[in-house]
Amino acid sequence: MSMLKLPAHASLGERVWHYTYLVICGLIFLFLISPILIVIPLSFNAEPYFTFTREMLTFNPDGYSMRWYDRILTFGMTAPDAVRDSSWWKDVWNNADWISAAKNSVIIGVFSTLLATALGTLAALGLSRPEMPYRRLIMGVLISPMIVPLIITATGLFFFYSATGLAHTYVGIIMAHATLGIPFVIITVTATLVGFDHSLTRAAQNLGATPFTVFRQIILPLILPGVISGALFAFVTSFDEVVVVLFIADFDQQTIPRQMWNGIREQISPTILSVATILVIFSILLLTTIELLRRRSERLRGLSPG
Amino acid sequence: MSTTAPPAPLLPSNAVDSTGPITAADGTPLQTALSRATRKARIRAFLLVAPLLAFVVLTFVAPIGQMLWRSVSNDSFSANMPALTAWFAENEALGSDGGPEGDGIPGEDAFEALATDLKGARENRTAGIVGTRVNYDLSGTRSLFTKSARQARKLEAPFKAALLDVDEDWGDAELWSVMRSASRTYTGDFYLAALDMQRNVDGEIEAVPENRRIYVPLFVRTLWLSALIAGLCLLLAFPVAHLLARLPLRYSNILMIFVLLPFWTSLLVRTTSWMVMLQSQGVVNDLMVAVGIVGDDGRIQMMYNQAGTIIAMTHILLPFMILPLYSVMKTIPHDYVRAARSLGATPSTAFWRIYFPQTVPGIGAGVLLVFILAVGYYITPALVGGSSGQLISNLIAFHMQKSLNWSLAAALAALLLAGVMLLYWLYDRLIGIDNMKFG
C-alpha cells in the first residue's frame, strides 16, 4: 500500500512512522466498514444467533440458510405454511408485515421527495440570485430542519398535528418528511448553481425565450444532477426516518425503520439482519448513482476534465 | 427570469456636460429606473422562495412555536378547577405560616371552592387530569384527587373538616403551595423543573435535593458525551482525511467508498450492526476470546451502557467529521510542508507549525457539526445505551410517551433547542451554512 511515495532520503524513523500511519488508517477504515459488511454473512446464519457459528466459519453449507429472508415474507401472513402458489404470494402482498411496511415507506418516501424537490429547487433558484433579500436569514430557517434534533421536531409536530387533525394521517407524515428532506435539496441544488454562468440565461432571453423556456432548456439541464442527488437525499431521509413517525403516525402506519425499531426493542430476531442486508445493498446502489451524477455534473460545468 | 426594464443606454460622450439627471431610454431618471428594476428583481427572487418558506413555517416553525407555547402554558388545573383557581387568584400566597391557624393551610372558603371543583371534576371525569398535573410536582397526589372526587357528592359543610376526613393529606401545606402554582395557566415552573429547581412552601425558588436531581446531570452528561464523541471522531478522522487528501484521485475515490457507504446506510442498520457486534456473545467478544485477550468467562459488557453509546455514535458520526476535514485538506498545497522540511524543520515541527494550522477550519467545521448532531441523538442511545448511556433526547421522549408530562418535555426540548440554535448560529458565523456539502 505504498501509494504515498516516501522520498529516497527518508530516515528509518520516518519509514517506521509512515507504515505505522498506513496501518492506523487501515484500522480506521476497517472500523468504518466492518459494521456495514458484518450483517451480510450473518443474515445467512442457519441458527438464530448473531455471531458466526462453527459451521459458518468452516464454510459448511449447513451453517448457512435463507430462512431469515423467507421470514421477511412469511411474518404476519395468515397462512404462511400453505402451498406457495399465486394465492400464497397474494397473502404475502396483502398481509406480510415487512411488505406492508415497505409499501408505506415507499409511498411516504416518494411523495415527500416530490414535494421537497419541487419546492426546494424553486427556492434554491431564488436563493442563489444575488438580489435575494434576507438571504442569510431565510437560508438559515430553511436549513434548520436538518440541524434541529429530530426529537424536538417530533415533539412540536405532535402538538401541532394533534391540534390540527393531521396526526395519524399520511398527509401529515409526508409533509413532515418533506420538511426534513428540503435542506438536502437546497444544499445540493445551490451547490450546482455556484459558478452558474448567468450570461447563458441572458443570451436565451435576448434570443426571445420565455422565462419558462429558459428554465426548461437552459437552467434545468445544468442543475439536474444536483436536483436528482438532492431528491435521493430527501428520499433516503424519509426512508430512514423513525422518530417523527413514532410520534405522529397511527399504530398501523408501520414503515421499515419503525418495524426495525419495534423488532430490535421487543425481541431481536435475525430477520432484522436480512432486512439490514437488503438495505445495505440498497445504499450501495444509491451511492453508485450519486457518484455517477456528481461526475456528470462536474463534467457539464467544466469543473473537471471528465 | 427576464429583466423587463430596458437596458440603460450607453451614456453619450457629452453626458457629463449635459444639465439635469441622466435618464433612461423612456425618459425616467436613471436612478429611479435602476432602483425600480432592482426592486422587481428582489421581489422575483423572493417569490421563488416564498412557497417553500410558507411550507416550512407551517410544518416546522409553527409546530416548534406551539411546543414553546406548551412549555410555558398548561391549563389542566385552571380549566378543571375554576373555583379554587379563582380563590388562589384572589388570595395572595399564604406562606408556611399563613392561613387562619398559621400552619400554611387555608381556611373554610378555600376548602369550599375545592369541594365545588371536586364535584365538577367528578361530573366531567377530569379528576385524573388535575391529579396528574399536581402529581408532576408532588408525587403520590394523583390518587388523592381521584379518591376525593369519587366521594365529592357526599361532602357537606364545614368542608375543611369534611375533606380532611376524606384524606388528611388535604391538610398538607406543601400540597396547597403546589396547587397554587399549578393553578397558574402561564408559568415558568416547567423550566424550573427542567433545571432541577422547585418552589418551596413560601413560593421561593430553590434547588431540589441532590439525590432527586435528574435533568441538570443529564444535560451535563449529554454535553460531555457529545464532546467526547466529537473528540474521538476528530482523532479517527484526521489521519484518514489526510491520507485521502494526499492520495492520487484514483485511489482516494476508491477509499472514499469506505466513508460514504456508512454515510448512506440507514441509521437503524448501523445501530443494529453495533448491537450484533457488541453483544457479549457477539463478534467482537468472540474475536477477543479467540485471540486470547479475555477469557470466555471474562467477556466485556460493551452494550447497554455508556460504552455502547460512545462506540456506535462515534462510528455513525465519523463521516460528518471526515468529509469537511477532507475538503479543507485537499486545498492545502503540500509544497509548504516540503519547504519547511528543506529549511531544516523536523517532521513534527513541519506538521505542527505548518500543516496543522491550515487544517483548523476543517477541524472547526467537523467538530461543531458532529457536536451539534450528537447533542440531539435519540435512536442510537435508546437502543444501545442502557440506562447510563441515555441522553437528554431520550428523557424528552420518556416524558412525551410514558409519563405524559408534556409541558416538562416541551421545556426540556426548548432548553435543548436553545443550545442547538446557539451552536448553529456559531457554525453559520464561523463556517457558513452555504459551505455545507455532502459526498
Side-chain angles (χ1 to χ4, degrees):
Chain A
M1 217 175 111
S2 66
M3 291 165 286
L4 279 174
K5 279 196 219 78
L6 269 178
H9 56 78
S11 68
L12 178 68
E14 282 176 75
R15 279 171 204 282
V16 170
W17 165 243
H18 180 73
Y19 289 106
T20 318
Y21 167 69
L22 290 182
V23 169
I24 291 172
C25 285
L27 289 174
I28 297 170
F29 281 121
L30 186 72
F31 172 72
L32 272 165
I33 205 73
S34 55
I36 313 294
L37 298 183
I38 203 106
V39 292
I40 298 175
L42 283 177
S43 70
F44 294 101
N45 201 336
E47 304 294 329
Y49 302 141
F50 295 102
T51 189
F52 293 97
T53 57
R54 193 170 299 278
E55 287 79 13
M56 292 183 91
L57 290 174
T58 54
F59 296 104
N60 183 342
D62 295 343
Y64 294 87
S65 83
M66 293 290 285
R67 62 186 282 205
W68 307 114
Y69 288 88
D70 200 58
R71 187 101 177 109
I72 296 178
L73 297 179
T74 55
F75 186 65
M77 279 176 70
T78 44
D81 300 322
V83 188
R84 301 204 166 184
D85 52 11
S86 64
S87 64
W88 185 85
W89 283 104
K90 208 169 160 189
D91 191 7
V92 170
W93 181 250
N94 292 328
N95 300 318
D97 282 2
W98 285 104
I99 301 296
S100 68
K103 284 194 258 183
N104 279 336
S105 279
V106 169
I107 291 171
I108 294 167
V110 166
F111 284 103
S112 62
T113 302
L114 288 176
L115 197 58
T117 312
L119 291 173
T121 306
L122 209 60
L125 288 173
L127 284 169
S128 54
R129 291 188 172 201
E131 10 357 308
M132 178 68 201
Y134 307 109
R135 185 173 179 282
R136 204 178 175 125
L137 177 73
I138 291 176
M139 188 92 167
V141 172
L142 297 180
I143 302 290
S144 58
M146 189 175 79
I147 294 292
V148 170
L150 277 172
I151 194 84
I152 294 179
T153 313
T155 304
L157 283 168
F158 175 83
F159 292 136
F160 188 68
Y161 280 8
S162 312
T164 52
L166 279 167
H168 309 316
T169 66
Y170 278 98
V171 176
I173 304 172
I174 287 168
M175 281 167 59
H177 278 186
T179 308
L180 296 175
I182 278 163
F184 297 98
V185 178
I186 291 186
I187 289 174
T188 52
V189 178
T190 318
T192 48
L193 283 166
V194 169
F196 182 82
D197 188 354
H198 284 281
S199 57
L200 291 175
T201 56
R202 276 195 288 271
Q205 284 161 15
N206 254 348
L207 294 168
T210 62
F212 180 69
T213 315
V214 173
F215 175 74
R216 206 167 46 91
Q217 302 261 3
I218 312 287
I219 301 176
L220 192 60
L222 281 167
I223 64 169
L224 197 59
V227 174
I228 295 176
S229 50
L232 286 176
F233 266 110
F235 185 79
V236 170
T237 305
S238 163
F239 205 73
D240 194 25
E241 202 292 318
V242 63
V243 185
V244 169
V245 170
L246 282 173
F247 272 64
I248 64 173
D250 201 23
F251 179 72
D252 53 84
Q253 287 171 321
Q254 292 287 344
T255 59
I256 290 179
R258 190 180 186 188
Q259 184 94 359
M260 285 185 82
W261 165 264
N262 292 341
I264 296 168
R265 281 171 79 92
E266 283 152 22
Q267 15 91 268
I268 180 164
S269 108
T271 314
I272 301 275
L273 297 190
S274 52
V275 175
T277 302
I278 294 172
L279 291 179
V280 167
I281 291 166
F282 185 63
S283 48
I284 292 174
L285 292 177
L286 271 171
L287 178 60
T288 316
T289 317
I290 291 274
E291 182 58 21
L292 293 177
L293 282 171
R294 192 179 61 83
R295 291 187 186 179
R296 184 182 149 78
S297 162
E298 288 186 353
R299 209 171 52 237
L300 272 180
R301 295 188 297 144
L303 290 185
S304 79
Chain B
M1 298 285 149
S2 68
T3 331
T4 42
L10 288 171
L11 295 179
S13 56
N14 62 348
V16 183
D17 303 327
S18 69
T19 51
I22 305 163
T23 57
D26 59 356
T28 50
L30 185 59
Q31 206 180 352
T32 322
L34 194 65
S35 71
R36 198 185 293 151
T38 324
R39 226 182 98 240
K40 270 188 183 159
R42 282 164 67 92
I43 291 173
R44 216 173 289 124
F46 184 77
L47 283 180
L48 285 171
V49 182
L52 179 62
L53 196 60
F55 182 77
V56 169
V57 165
L58 179 72
T59 58
F60 187 73
V61 179
I64 287 184
Q66 192 166 15
M67 181 196 83
L68 296 177
W69 173 249
R70 272 279 181 161
S71 69
V72 291
S73 94
N74 186 315
D75 66 354
S76 32
F77 191 96
S78 57
N80 300 313
M81 303 286 275
L84 191 56
T85 302
W87 185 87
F88 277 129
E90 280 159 24
N91 295 273
E92 284 302 305
L94 288 169
S96 53
D97 51 358
E101 284 151 47
D103 54 359
I105 315 298
E108 177 65 17
D109 46 348
F111 278 91
E112 192 181 341
L114 174 62
T116 316
D117 284 339
L118 284 174
K119 283 174 194 166
R122 164 80 179 162
E123 278 163 31
N124 304 323
R125 300 169 186 276
T126 52
I129 299 173
V130 178
T132 307
R133 169 69 188 88
V134 176
N135 202 58
Y136 294 158
D137 300 326
L138 192 64
S139 54
T141 45
R142 191 178 184 277
S143 58
L144 175 67
F145 280 87
T146 48
K147 180 174 115 186
S148 306
R150 269 198 300 279
Q151 304 179 26
R153 228 178 309 169
K154 289 182 285 183
L155 291 174
E156 276 168 27
F159 290 105
K160 184 168 179 174
L163 273 159
L164 286 173
D165 199 36
V166 172
D167 196 313
E168 60 184 15
D169 280 353
W170 288 115
D172 177 7
E174 196 183 354
L175 173 69
W176 282 91
S177 141
V178 165
M179 283 200 297
R180 173 182 291 278
S181 59
S183 74
R184 296 188 190 101
T185 307
Y186 305 107
T187 170
D189 283 3
F190 294 105
Y191 283 93
L192 287 183
L195 293 167
D196 285 333
M197 289 193 269
Q198 62 186 16
R199 283 179 202 278
N200 65 13
V201 179
D202 294 322
E204 289 156 359
I205 294 166
E206 59 176 22
V208 302
E210 205 146 331
N211 57 353
R212 276 177 46 212
R213 285 178 203 166
I214 307 166
Y215 306 110
V216 172
L218 202 60
F219 272 114
V220 171
R221 182 205 281 170
T222 304
L223 294 177
W224 149 241
L225 283 184
S226 303
L228 180 68
I229 289 162
L232 284 172
C233 279
L234 176 62
L235 215 60
L236 296 178
F238 199 93
V240 165
H242 179 250
L243 183 75
L244 289 171
R246 289 288 319 282
L247 280 177
L249 212 57
R250 62 180 186 282
Y251 296 115
S252 68
N253 270 345
I254 294 168
L255 281 177
M256 207 50 160
I257 296 174
F258 287 73
V259 181
L260 291 178
L261 186 58
F263 185 73
W264 277 97
T265 303
S266 159
L267 175 70
L268 277 157
V269 169
R270 284 180 280 172
T271 307
T272 311
S273 302
W274 279 111
M275 293 180 76
V276 166
M277 289 184 47
L278 296 178
Q279 285 187 10
S280 53
Q281 299 296 324
V283 177
V284 175
N285 263 313
D286 279 359
L287 206 65
M288 287 199 291
V289 170
V291 175
I293 300 174
V294 295
D296 199 16
D297 49 354
R299 288 169 178 266
I300 302 170
Q301 180 72 36
M302 287 178 287
M303 201 172 57
Y304 303 128
N305 56 22
Q306 254 176 40
T309 301
I310 294 169
I311 296 172
M313 280 179 67
T314 302
H315 174 259
I316 290 166
L317 293 170
L318 189 50
F320 290 98
M321 183 72 81
I322 295 177
L323 294 175
L325 260 183
Y326 167 73
S327 68
V328 167
M329 286 176 173
K330 216 169 44 172
T331 64
I332 301 175
H334 191 56
D335 302 354
Y336 293 161
V337 173
R338 233 177 284 164
R341 291 299 311 279
S342 74
L343 290 169
T346 62
S348 85
T349 310
F351 175 78
W352 287 111
R353 298 277 302 274
I354 306 297
Y355 189 75
F356 185 78
Q358 298 182 77
T359 63
V360 167
I363 294 177
V367 168
L368 254 181
L369 188 61
V370 169
F371 189 81
I372 292 175
L373 294 175
V375 162
Y377 249 56
Y378 167 64
I379 295 289
T380 308
L383 291 177
V384 298
S387 63
S388 69
Q390 301 287 300
L391 303 182
I392 196 73
S393 285
N394 303 95
L395 209 71
I396 296 173
F398 169 79
H399 281 307
M400 285 300 293
Q401 296 177 315
K402 296 276 160 56
S403 84
L404 302 184
N405 189 349
W406 291 345
S407 289
L408 179 59
L412 288 166
L415 291 173
L416 176 62
L417 181 67
V420 169
M421 280 291 133
L422 186 72
L423 292 167
Y424 181 43
W425 175 80
L426 200 65
Y427 186 94
D428 189 34
R429 285 325 294 277
L430 297 178
I431 299 114
I433 39 174
D434 319 37
N435 296 331
M436 217 182 274
K437 278 195 205 94
F438 312 100

